[in-house]
Amino acid sequence: MELAFSGEVWFWRGPAPYHFVTVPAEQSAAIEAASASVTYGWGMIPVTVRIGDTDWRTSLWPKDGRYVVPLRVAARRAEGIELGDRVDVRLTVDV
């Protein structure tokens, strides 16, 4: 499954601070529909992410009925991504 969307970068200050982009509701519903066959537990969904020219593997996290994409520091630096930026995200759900 491949998905593309745009979203705003936000920051979570929890015990392990991280930057994220939230997957829109429509794409989150498509991921949820396939989740039983791809999750490895706790609702985590393995994906390959592409923003700009940078690809990486990570897992989507469920949050408030949708999913969030964690943005690695190396990817943010490579693409010059800052808090509040709107980014174009391409996801491939790993099966």
Side-chain angles (χ1 to χ4, degrees):
M1 172 188 306
E2 293 187 1
L3 304 167
F5 60 91
S6 294
E8 184 176 327
V9 176
W10 56 275
F11 184 71
W12 184 63
R13 297 188 196 286
Y18 228 86
H19 289 77
F20 295 92
V21 174
T22 301
V23 178
E26 183 178 334
Q27 285 91 344
S28 287
I31 294 165
E32 178 64 27
S35 67
S37 63
V38 297
T39 187
Y40 58 87
W42 304 287
M44 306 292 275
I45 307 292
V47 295
T48 301
V49 180
R50 181 174 188 85
I51 295 177
D53 293 325
T54 305
D55 295 346
W56 71 96
R57 294 193 67 201
T58 190
S59 293
L60 302 180
W61 303 4
K63 182 173 183 348
D64 301 329
R66 292 169 48 185
Y67 290 93
V68 296
V69 181
L71 302 181
R72 291 192 174 162
V73 171
R76 287 189 299 108
R77 285 183 183 149
E79 296 298 325
I81 298 169
E82 300 290 336
L83 179 64
D85 285 353
R86 187 157 196 84
V87 294
D88 295 324
V89 180
R90 296 185 80 59
L91 292 179
T92 303
V93 177
D94 299 337
V95 289

